[in-house]
Structure formats: structure tokens, C-alpha cells
Amino acid sequence: MKILFVNEIREADAYTILHEPIDSIDLMERASSAFVSWFKENYLVGNYKVKIFCGLGDNGGDGLAIARMLHPLGYDLEVFVVKFSKKISENFDQNLYRLEKQIPVKIIDNESFIVNFEKKDVIIDALLGSGLSRSLEGLLKSVVEKLNESEVPIISVDIPSGLFANKSNNLSDTIIKATHTVSFQIPKLAFMLPQNAEFVGDWHIVDIGLNEDFIEKVTAKFFYSTPLEVEKLIKPRKKFSHKGTFGHALLVSGSYGMMGAAILSARACMRSGVGKLTVHSIPSGLAIMQMLLPEAMYWETASGESDLFISTQYNIENIANKFQAVGIGPGLGVNIKIKESIEQLCELCAELSIPMVIDADALNNLSMDENRESLSKIPKNSILTPHPKEFQNLLNKSWKDDYEKLELLTQFAVNQGVIVCLKGANTAIALPDGTIHFNSSGNAGMAKAGSGDVLTGMILALLAQGYSPKEAAILGVYQHGLAGDKAAQNRGMNNMIASDIIENIRF
Ligand SMILES: NC(=O)C1=CN([C@@H]2O[C@H](COP(=O)(O)OP(=O)(O)OC[C@H]3O[C@@H](n4cnc5c(N)ncnc54)[C@H](O)[C@@H]3O)[C@@H](O)[C@H]2O)[C@@H](O)CC1
Ligand SMILES: Nc1ncnc2c1ncn2[C@@H]1O[C@H](COP(=O)(O)OP(=O)(O)O)[C@@H](O)[C@H]1O
Ligand SMILES: [K+]
């Protein structure tokens, strides 16, 4: 699903109005009715007193139309119009006329207004939408402050009032803190970013029938991967297939005291459809791996090499025509010799065009040099799976806000010619073509040691099976989150561990 910028959404509105054709006021009617469908399912009539706060633009117009639609359903309603300006939109004006025939509207025109909130209240925030042009001040600011202090649920129409849809707010800005945001058809970039989580709450998309042909033609930079889109990528297993059909993966992982990372990664790999898996790790890990994961083969580093992961055994004979994909990183440790091993394997994979997924300590090792010259060894189209700290290490710098983080992410993916899965809620997958795809699955129960190792194994399995790096990244990240969601359902977010994610992998 495309994430469009505000000007593109406006163009989509205008195109729909012209080509459907439909009057602007009727499109607003459709949007408001879509909001009402969501609202009446989630806030049952009789249980709540609804207070609707409307601005003077089209977002306010939505609020008035919503009030008119909720009234006949039997909702106990109060409607407030905040007169912060002399300018009103035509759709607002028309909806005010329509509503006032049904119920009276209260005007808030100065900062000394008083609204008393009760436990049963729910607020609908229709003050400002995507037309926000500057930070809130004066009357609007003080209304939003009072709504935020009310301690009752706030449902924002389209976007929380005061939040910019596709650029950063100032830290000091006053913004509605919504419990839910019900947004029209197209998700906003702001919803994807950690810095806005406290304002957006849980967000939901409702369809308002904007012209699909128009949306199809827009060249988007940001995407939100919906379950339907991602599940289409899954390749069925053919009846006469055999283990060779599904590839042989090489996982380079583990060191003394960190064999757990290798086991989690290896098990997740085998649970994700790969034909065969070889784990390359230290001699003392052999018994552990063979006992805990008998399905995997083991290639131990040469004797004499230490309990740190250090290998000098990579050459054409033992890699070419043997492995279809290589995963490297979980639990390796960081030191100069490990770095050299990683570089050697990267160079060989580049030469042999073997796809790679590079994670955790492999990334930390490649970030070791002051001038990051090791990064040039990473084969093009490799998948890198850093968490934010690892990504800062790769860049050798930090960012001032999440928007700058996205810019740096795009630059890195384009300049290095790699795919970067920047992990977290809504993992951002940056492709070398300059696009970013946000993941839709996963939960905070996954914020635990070992979850990332599981992801590496899953992506490795997909690469070995012949999924393209783009497919492997998008599908792997999604299925990892989905397995995490199932684990959270079964065990609870506090109680689930990374092994539970593996037990719930199913696709
Ligand atoms: N265009 C359409 O056909 C549709 C629009 N819809 C609604 O329309 C909204 C966008 O409407 P508008 O473009 O009228 O935008 P808003 O309703 O956000 O209001 C914009 C108005 O407020 C002013 N303004 C912006 N920031 C301000 C600030 N900080 N302080 C004071 N005044 C400020 C602007 O100058 C403008 O006059 C969407 O969010 C959505 O709710 C929906 O009804 C769907 C269809
Ligand atoms: N709050 C969250 N919501 C959704 N997914 C999360 C959240 N926190 C972490 N995750 C996921 O869990 C994984 C954690 O990876 P990582 O930080 O590398 O852990 P580790 O290195 O300990 O295995 C990532 O895939 C990340 O997207
Ligand atoms: K709003």
C-alpha cells in the first residue's frame, strides 16, 4: 500500500472528484460515513457520551458530518466548533448548515472556555487534518491542551490535530494525543515513526473510494506492506520438489558463550522452508548444535582457531556450487580477526554472486574502521538487518529525528546498493531503488534478546530458496512479526521469548 504525501492525497481527492465524478461535499460524506462505521463498532451507542471538537476547514467539516450521522443512531452528542480564524471552508459551511437543522452547536471562541469531562466521555478530534500549515498556537493550542488533559479516549479524524503528516514537528509542539486515529484510505508517513507514537495511538485505515487508477500512477517513495500484499509473495511447495529444490544455506554464527544466537538463527532458518542448512562455527559449539538441532549440519572452524569465531577456511571449493545463500552475524563477537573472516566471506560471495544476509556483530565488525572502508566489501543487493544502534555504527553518526533517520537510511541503501532492514516497530526496509517499505506485523513482546537472530535465520532460508533479496526482506520481516504476534497471543507480550517466535513461524 502506498503512503502518499499531503499534496498527493489532495491530488487524489481532486482527481476522484473530477473523474468519478463526485461533488467534494459528497466525498466528505463518504469519508465521514466510513469514520462512523468504524466508530459505532468500537464505541457502542449507549455506553458513551460523545464530544466532537471541530475546526473550520474540511477536517472540521468531517466532524460536523460525523455528528449529523451519529445523532440518528442514538448517540448522546455535544458538538463544539473552535473559532480560531475567520476563514472557513465551503464544505464546513455546508455541513454546519445541515447539522444545525438537527442539533445545536456550541462555539468556543476564547481561551477561558470550560468543558467538563466525565468518565463516560469520548472525544472526536476534528480540529485540523492534513491541512495543518504551522504549529498550533493561541486558542487551538489551548483547546488541544485541555483535550489532552481530559483523561478520556480521543479518536482523531484522519490525523491527530497538530501533527504534520510528512514532516517533523518541533519537540515543543502541542499535538492531540489520540487513543485511535481513523485515517482516510492512505496511511500517513507520520504514523510509521516512533517519535509520533504517543500522538497517533492505534491507527486504522478506512476506505473512502479515492480513484485507484490515480493512486496506481503516483510514484511513491514510501510503502506500508499489508498482509494481503506480502502473503502473495509466498511460493507454494511443488509436489515433486526435493530438498535440493529449496537450497542449501550457510549460517556463520556463534562463539563461546553465544551459541544461543546460532541455535535460534539456525532453528528459525530450518522452520522457514530451507532444504538444507550448514552452520559454520567454533569447535566447542558442535555438540550443542547437534543435540539441539539435529536437522542442521555443522562445519567447525579449524582446530587451533580460538573460541571466538575466526575462520580462514573460505575458498571457491568449499563455497561455490554448494551454498545458495549465506547468513552471517548473530553472536560472532567483535575483533580484528573476526572482521577479516567476514570480509573474506563477503568478497567470495560477491565474486560468486551468492546472496547474503548480514546481521548483528557482522555489522559491528564491518563498522570497525574509522572511515568505514570495510563497507565496500559488502556484496551489492545484500540484506543488512541492523537495529538502530547498529545502523548508527554503520553510519558513524546519529540523527536528530525520525525523518532524518529515514533520509540517512535511503542514502545508505542507495549508495551502498544494499537492502537495509532497520528493525523496530514498523521495521523500515530500504531498497537500493530509494523506496522504503514499512512492516505491518510485530509487537513489543519481541523487544527481547534473540528476536533479531530469529529474523536472520528466516531471511537466510528465503534467500536460499531463491526468493529475490527484496522479496526475502519484505516477506521475512513480515513473517517474523506475524510469528511474534501469534507468540504474543499464546504467551503474552511480557512472557514470550525468542524461541516462541520460532515455534509460531507458519507460512
Ligand atoms: N478534500 C477532500 O475532498 C476530502 C478531505 N477530507 C478532510 O479534509 C481534511 C483536510 O482539509 P483542509 O485541507 O481543509 O485542512 P484542515 O481541515 O486541516 O484545515 C486547514 C485550514 O486551517 C488552517 N490552518 C492550518 N494550520 C493551522 C494552524 N496551526 N493554526 C491555525 N490555522 C491553521 C489552514 O490555513 C486552512 O485554512 C483531511 O484531513 C480530511 O479530514 C475528507 O473529508 C476526505 C475528502
Ligand atoms: N516494539 C516492537 N514492535 C515490533 N517489533 C519489535 C519491537 N521491538 C523489537 N522488535 C523486533 O524484534 C527484533 C529485535 O532484534 P534485535 O534488536 O536485533 O534483537 P537481538 O539482537 O537481541 O536478537 C527485530 O526484528 C525488531 O523488529
Ligand atoms: K484531526
Side-chain angles (χ1 to χ4, degrees):
M1 177 185 265
K2 287 177 183 173
I3 295 170
L4 303 187
F5 294 126
V6 169
N7 61 320
E8 294 165 334
I9 295 176
R10 236 175 250 140
E11 285 168 21
D13 288 345
Y15 189 94
T16 306
I17 289 167
L18 193 67
H19 288 83
E20 191 171 322
I22 180 171
D23 284 340
S24 174
I25 188 80
D26 293 330
L27 184 58
M28 178 170 283
E29 200 71 2
R30 212 147 77 188
S32 303
S33 149
F35 178 95
V36 167
S37 298
W38 182 92
F39 186 83
K40 68 181 186 198
E41 292 292 317
N42 291 277
Y43 289 86
L44 299 181
V45 67
N47 294 355
Y48 297 93
K49 288 181 154 188
V50 186
K51 290 187 163 61
I52 308 187
F53 290 82
C54 305
L56 306 171
D58 280 356
N59 197 252
D62 288 333
L64 298 172
I66 289 165
R68 172 166 43 78
M69 291 174 194
L70 288 178
H71 183 249
L73 298 178
Y75 280 92
D76 180 340
L77 284 181
E78 259 185 297
V79 186
F80 301 87
V81 167
V82 180
K83 270 198 144 166
F84 57 88
S85 149
K86 290 206 174 83
K87 206 166 95 190
I88 60 172
S89 82
E90 251 180 62
N91 291 331
F92 170 90
D93 199 25
Q94 205 163 339
N95 269 309
L96 184 63
Y97 174 75
R98 288 180 182 179
L99 180 66
E100 280 185 322
K101 286 201 237 166
Q102 251 183 38
I103 46 172
V105 163
K106 296 175 184 167
I107 304 293
I108 296 177
D109 56 7
N110 66 77
E111 291 182 34
S112 57
F113 74 99
I114 296 173
V115 181
N116 292 316
F117 293 99
E118 308 168 33
K119 252 195 163 163
K120 263 185 110 179
D121 283 346
V122 54
I123 292 169
I124 295 179
D125 152 41
L127 291 168
L128 283 171
S130 53
L132 181 76
S133 55
R134 57 193 185 275
S135 303
L136 302 189
E137 49 194 33
L139 182 58
L140 269 172
K141 180 175 153 79
S142 86
V143 171
V144 168
E145 279 166 356
K146 284 193 185 152
L147 300 190
N148 281 344
E149 284 162 13
S150 68
E151 294 183 351
V152 304
I154 303 181
I155 319 303
S156 284
V157 178
D158 204 25
I159 185 165
S161 299
L163 181 69
F164 289 113
N166 41 244
K167 68 173 189 180
S168 198
N169 282 83
N170 299 317
L171 268 178
S172 59
D173 283 355
T174 298
I175 303 167
I176 281 284
K177 292 183 178 167
T179 315
H180 294 278
T181 296
V182 179
S183 201
F184 297 137
Q185 190 145 354
I186 293 163
K188 279 71 184 165
L189 183 56
F191 299 175
M192 306 297 145
L193 306 178
Q195 71 181 41
N196 298 326
E198 65 171 319
F199 310 115
V200 177
D202 292 333
W203 57 272
H204 317 268
I205 294 295
V206 291
D207 194 66
I208 64 165
L210 293 178
N211 189 292
E212 291 292 349
D213 293 340
F214 179 88
I215 296 171
E216 180 73 30
K217 280 188 209 128
V218 179
T219 322
K221 177 170 161 45
F222 298 103
F223 296 80
Y224 180 68
S225 307
T226 63
L228 221 66
E229 289 166 336
V230 183
E231 277 158 16
K232 274 194 206 138
L233 300 175
I234 301 171
K235 296 179 186 166
R237 274 174 114 80
K238 297 214 176 91
K239 181 172 174 182
F240 291 101
S241 54
H242 52 87
K243 64 176 184 259
T245 318
F246 302 104
H248 188 172
L250 174 65
L251 175 68
V252 179
S253 176
S255 58
Y256 190 78
M258 290 204 279
M259 283 313 293
I263 288 155
L264 289 169
S265 210
R267 180 170 283 140
C269 183
M270 296 245 45
R271 284 260 186 236
S272 302
V274 77
K276 290 190 277 181
L277 169 66
T278 293
V279 178
H280 186 36
S281 195
I282 54 171
S284 60
L286 174 89
I288 306 167
M289 185 63 75
Q290 301 268 265
M291 276 163 69
L292 290 177
L293 191 65
E295 294 87 351
M297 290 167 279
Y298 203 81
W299 169 22
E300 60 186 78
T301 48
S303 58
E305 288 166 0
S306 79
D307 266 348
L308 276 180
F309 178 85
I310 295 167
S311 176
T312 48
Q313 292 150 288
Y314 303 122
N315 55 48
I316 302 265
E317 287 76 60
N318 57 27
I319 302 282
N321 303 320
K322 195 164 177 194
F323 299 113
Q324 279 67 52
V326 169
I328 184 162
L332 287 182
V334 180
N335 91 3
I336 186 82
K337 289 236 164 94
I338 304 174
K339 183 191 92 150
E340 284 164 7
S341 297
I342 295 168
E343 286 179 348
Q344 201 195 357
L345 186 56
C346 282
E347 281 173 329
L348 198 56
C349 285
E351 190 185 328
L352 298 170
S353 299
I354 298 176
M356 292 188 89
V357 51
I358 307 175
D359 182 38
D361 276 347
L363 299 172
N364 292 330
N365 278 291
L366 293 170
S367 309
M368 199 187 280
D369 296 330
E370 191 66 44
N371 55 6
R372 302 298 186 267
E373 62 193 16
S374 304
L375 297 183
S376 65
K377 306 261 172 33
I378 297 175
K380 297 287 171 234
N381 277 316
S382 294
I383 302 173
L384 279 55
T385 54
H387 56 54
K389 186 79 190 69
E390 287 159 351
F391 186 52
Q392 280 170 13
N393 273 350
L394 285 168
L395 295 174
N396 200 15
K397 67 169 157 184
S398 185
W399 40 81
K400 68 173 191 297
D401 58 45
D402 289 336
Y403 287 90
E404 192 186 33
K405 177 181 77 183
L406 291 182
E407 261 173 50
L408 293 169
L409 183 62
T410 308
Q411 273 170 25
F412 188 91
V414 172
N415 294 344
Q416 299 284 330
V418 295
I419 296 176
V420 187
C421 306
L422 183 58
K423 294 182 292 192
N426 294 131
T427 291
I429 303 170
L431 304 183
D433 67 5
T435 59
I436 291 186
H437 299 249
F438 293 96
N439 184 46
S440 57
S441 59
N443 63 82
M446 301 171 78
K448 267 178 211 132
S451 302
D453 308 331
V454 174
L455 177 66
T456 309
M458 293 179 76
I459 292 177
L460 173 61
L462 295 173
L463 285 176
Q465 287 166 79
Y467 286 88
S468 71
K470 174 183 170 182
E471 290 169 339
I474 292 177
L475 180 59
V477 167
Y478 173 76
Q479 292 297 342
H480 175 251
L482 191 64
D485 289 341
K486 288 181 199 149
Q489 266 170 23
N490 298 338
R491 298 290 315 218
M493 281 203 261
N494 282 331
N495 318 99
M496 61 186 277
I497 55 173
S499 297
D500 298 321
I501 304 177
I502 301 174
E503 292 318 308
N504 284 284
I505 298 173
R506 191 177 183 129
F507 59 91

